[in-house]
Amino acid sequence: MTLVEQTPDTRSAIGAMDRKGRATSRGWGTLATYAILLGGALITLGPFALSIITSFKTPQQFSTESPLSLPAPFTMQNYAGLFSGELVDFGHSIIVTAGYVLVVLVGQLTFSILAAFAFARLRFPGRDVLFWLYLSTLMIPAVVTVVPLYLMLTEAGLRNTFWGIVLPYMFGSPYAIFLLREYFRGIPEEIVDAARIDGAGTWRILTRIMVPLSRPIIVTLTIITIVTHWNNFLWPLIITGSPSLSVITVATASMQSQYNGNWTIVMAATTLAMAPLIIIFLIFNRQIVNSIAITSFR
Amino acid sequence: MKRSISASRRRGDRIGYALLAPSLFGVVIFLLTPIVVVTWLSFQKWDLVAPLKFVGLSNWLAVLGDPTFIDSLMTTVLFVVLVIPAQTALGLFAAVLLSRRLPGSGVFRVIYVIPWVSAPLALGIVWRWIFQPTGGMLNVLLGSHVPWLTLPSLALPAVSIVSIWSQTGYVTLFFMAGLAVIPEQLVEAARIDGAGSTRIFWSIKLPLLRPTLFFVLVTTVISAFQVFDTIYSLTQGGPQNATDIIAYRIYEKAFTGFDLGQAAVTALILFLILVAITVGQQLYFRRRITYDLS
């Protein structure tokens, strides 16, 4: 199944033209649609807007004025507090989180691509059995594996280490392997055969043909992996204890319990935890939105 | 000649296994072994400090005989029942409106997905403030002082609202993709036959959305059964266990109650429930008529 890309601009232009000629009931329908969509957008954006404006307020203004008032005076002291290193050091947390996301991303993509290529294009005994084994692990939820993984990594001496956070994720993900395999299988056999006749080996075929032709799905997986692991909370919370290994979600959670009621600094923390991904999302929104939708059809 | 073919095949086999090696290591060590370990752990007593001790079935009997465990299961089911129909219906509704492709639809689509990219933990904390009895946004808007998160009867609905709020946009995306592949001719044909928009939606679009609906239900039900970050940041299972959802209970048993054995039992029961749901949904949707137009 393929998604036909229709440019919204031309379609809506045509739509606007034939709407002009039709009954006004259609106009009311359009108005109602916009009203509902706008209401939905306000409800969706409200909490983000509140988090941002509160993060720039002084505690005095916060305690005396309405939550909807704009910051006056505008202050950066909440953010300064996050980086002061007294209780949590967000600068450090951002570095730890970025390192964790990067290692998981590179490991997961590399090893998933290798596995997906083997499943899609190579023949060897036990291939299909192994593929079903991989697929069956899609049913294993994270919450179920957290307790035994804690035991295993503690026994291995990896509790409270950086590698303790990344190891369970960095060897590839069955979901990514599944999506990549489907994509690799869709690449025409003739292209691969032609390369093979020209003397290309398995490695060249993988790196020069399969990977470049699979850019859309690789972009999708990159985004899904970054979002999942930047926002990951349960595993880092359990496996790390020292503040020096706090990822950003764990640091934000400890802000909330240590500065309970001190909402201006807590909102600076939540804003900072969410902002990087929102910015990335706004820049790449078209690819992200399209690619998320594509995953459901494969 | 024959020998060289089998030699090259063996070489091919080796390449296949070599490419699979790292991910197979990951799958076996970090996905399959934990299932074995959690089963083994369910027969042990462990408090993170003292050495493990075999206790037979006593963890299982303790968990299954614990009324708060049954309550927790019921709370989880209630949460799923509150969240899934609402977010599916809202997501579908939004997708239908966005599929009219009015000018500016793209902007709304982007806005609705923003909660999906934001850390559920951070969002939970923002909502915790919104729900505050004094100074919280919701009570300021309503001019009231309702203790949303500390009144047992309101806490679960409040948590559900946060969950629906953050998931709906994501669900919308899938329905939009599903609507986009419905052949235009079918809709046009129905319109020529005199069907109105409502009729077209119920009789044509909705039945054709079945595969999308299946995908959305399977993934959202399974993730709703595992919701943790939102509970951790909003209520920590309280008040009076009103939001003590099963995933949170596993964490609490293990890492604040230091009873890893009972946590393992609880985790295994959740695992069995999720497997049953997946298989059940698969069978249910298989049985129904499917429309294949590809």
Side-chain angles (χ1 to χ4, degrees):
Chain A
M1 203 180 301
T2 50
L3 294 174
V4 181
E5 179 68 30
Q6 284 154 328
T7 57
D9 294 349
T10 52
R11 285 199 47 128
S12 56
I14 295 164
M17 274 190 294
D18 63 56
R19 263 200 311 282
K20 248 176 219 168
R22 294 199 186 171
T24 45
S25 73
R26 189 95 198 236
W28 285 113
T30 304
L31 205 64
T33 304
Y34 275 121
I36 296 165
L37 289 176
L38 198 66
L42 284 176
I43 293 169
T44 306
L45 290 180
F48 293 98
L50 283 173
S51 178
I52 295 167
I53 60 172
T54 307
S55 73
F56 292 114
K57 285 183 191 177
T58 59
Q60 292 81 351
Q61 188 194 358
F62 176 79
S63 58
T64 50
E65 290 178 32
S66 152
L68 282 173
S69 62
L70 290 175
F74 183 92
T75 175
M76 292 295 286
Q77 80 181 42
N78 298 312
Y79 288 95
L82 292 180
F83 290 92
S84 69
E86 276 171 38
L87 281 167
V88 279
D89 181 352
F90 265 64
H92 191 74
S93 288
I94 289 171
I95 294 168
V96 173
T97 314
Y100 153 53
V101 171
L102 192 71
V103 170
V104 169
L105 179 67
V106 171
Q108 232 181 56
L109 275 185
T110 310
F111 298 139
S112 297
I113 286 171
L114 297 181
F117 180 72
F119 281 133
R121 291 289 162 153
L122 301 177
R123 272 173 225 283
F124 49 89
R127 185 189 67 176
D128 296 341
V129 175
L130 284 172
F131 186 66
W132 281 108
L133 183 77
Y134 277 49
L135 274 191
S136 69
T137 63
L138 286 175
M139 277 208 277
I140 301 174
V143 203
V144 174
T145 57
V146 147
V147 171
L149 278 177
Y150 177 84
L151 170 64
M152 290 162 65
L153 289 170
T154 304
E155 289 297 311
L158 290 166
R159 195 170 63 87
N160 222 358
T161 64
F162 178 77
W163 292 103
I165 315 178
V166 297
L167 269 177
Y169 304 113
M170 63 174 286
F171 292 99
S173 105
Y175 180 65
I177 292 167
F178 173 68
L179 290 180
L180 278 163
R181 171 185 175 265
E182 295 295 298
Y183 211 92
F184 285 166
R185 277 154 59 105
I187 292 172
E189 198 77 54
E190 300 87 70
I191 300 178
V192 180
D193 287 342
R196 193 160 276 148
I197 289 163
D198 289 346
T202 306
W203 186 250
R204 261 187 94 81
I205 289 171
L206 176 59
T207 55
R208 297 292 164 84
I209 297 174
M210 302 309 251
V211 170
L213 286 177
S214 308
R215 264 195 57 172
I217 194 72
I218 292 174
V219 169
T220 302
L221 290 171
T222 303
I223 288 152
I224 291 177
T225 310
I226 292 174
V227 170
T228 307
H229 291 282
W230 182 274
N231 293 338
N232 196 6
F233 174 61
L234 177 57
W235 178 246
L237 172 74
I238 289 167
I239 201 65
T240 62
S242 67
S244 66
L245 279 169
S246 285
V247 296
I248 195 148
T249 47
V250 174
T252 306
S254 69
M255 283 299 297
Q256 131 94 2
S257 52
Q258 275 157 358
Y259 285 83
N260 196 13
N262 201 340
W263 289 106
T264 54
I265 193 162
V266 172
M267 288 300 123
T270 54
T271 303
L272 207 60
M274 298 188 291
L277 288 191
I278 294 177
I279 291 166
I280 292 175
F281 173 69
L282 291 179
I283 296 170
F284 297 106
N285 74 75
R286 181 170 285 271
Q287 293 94 314
I288 294 172
V289 163
N290 286 341
S291 60
I292 294 166
I294 287 168
T295 56
S296 74
F297 285 91
R298 297 188 162 269
Chain B
M1 189 67 200
K2 204 173 183 184
R3 182 181 288 168
S4 92
I5 285 174
S6 73
S8 89
R9 178 169 298 159
R10 270 206 303 278
R11 210 183 136 260
D13 292 354
R14 275 209 301 277
I15 294 175
Y17 295 130
L19 294 180
L20 280 188
S23 61
L24 189 61
F25 173 80
V27 162
V28 171
I29 301 297
F30 297 113
L31 286 166
L32 295 175
T33 308
I35 296 297
V36 178
V37 171
V38 78
T39 312
W40 174 77
L41 195 56
S42 76
F43 300 110
Q44 311 283 327
K45 183 152 190 61
W46 188 36
D47 61 1
L48 298 175
V49 185
L52 285 95
K53 195 178 129 214
F54 180 79
V55 290
L57 281 173
S58 78
N59 289 325
W60 285 89
L61 296 175
V63 169
L64 292 172
D66 182 353
T68 62
F69 169 74
I70 309 297
D71 285 348
S72 171
L73 271 185
M74 298 308 288
T75 306
T76 311
V77 171
L78 189 58
F79 172 76
V80 173
V81 168
L82 283 171
V83 165
I84 300 297
Q87 82 184 17
T88 310
L90 282 172
L92 186 54
F93 184 54
V96 169
L97 292 184
L98 289 173
S99 297
R100 293 185 65 186
R101 290 177 182 271
L102 298 173
S105 290
V107 176
F108 290 114
R109 190 173 69 158
V110 168
I111 289 172
Y112 293 165
V113 188
I114 290 177
W116 178 71
V117 297
S118 308
L121 178 97
L123 286 175
I125 294 172
V126 175
W127 276 96
R128 186 186 167 107
W129 170 52
I130 291 174
F131 282 131
Q132 287 301 301
T134 42
M137 190 65 230
L138 191 57
N139 280 320
V140 169
L141 284 179
L142 296 173
S144 60
H145 291 278
V146 180
W148 299 99
L149 296 174
T150 45
L151 207 65
S153 58
L154 286 178
L156 192 66
V159 169
S160 306
I161 285 170
V162 175
S163 205
I164 295 165
W165 171 85
S166 64
Q167 294 283 326
T168 299
Y170 183 59
V171 170
T172 304
L173 277 187
F174 291 112
F175 283 124
M176 283 188 72
L179 286 168
V181 294
I182 291 177
E184 198 71 35
Q185 312 90 277
L186 281 181
V187 178
E188 275 311 312
R191 190 159 284 143
I192 289 163
D193 289 346
S197 304
T198 322
R199 182 74 203 277
I200 288 173
F201 175 76
W202 290 106
S203 306
I204 295 177
K205 290 184 176 172
L206 196 58
L208 289 173
L209 279 176
R210 187 176 294 283
T212 314
L213 188 64
F214 173 65
F215 176 85
V216 165
L217 285 179
V218 171
T219 51
T220 56
V221 166
I222 287 174
S223 70
F225 263 93
Q226 300 179 56
V227 69
F228 173 80
D229 301 15
T230 309
I231 303 291
Y232 183 96
S233 51
L234 278 169
T235 57
Q236 309 239 318
Q240 295 161 34
N241 291 342
T243 60
D244 189 25
I245 279 168
I246 201 87
Y248 187 77
R249 193 182 174 85
I250 295 171
Y251 165 80
E252 212 177 32
K253 273 251 180 273
F255 299 104
T256 59
F258 304 113
D259 193 334
L260 280 287
Q262 288 196 21
V265 172
T266 314
L268 270 172
I269 293 172
L270 173 63
F271 180 49
L272 295 178
I273 292 172
L274 290 178
V275 170
I277 289 172
T278 314
V279 173
Q281 276 176 324
Q282 202 84 33
L283 292 176
Y284 177 77
F285 276 85
R286 282 264 171 79
R287 225 174 26 153
R288 297 294 196 90
I289 309 152
T290 50
Y291 298 80
D292 190 6
L293 292 149
S294 57

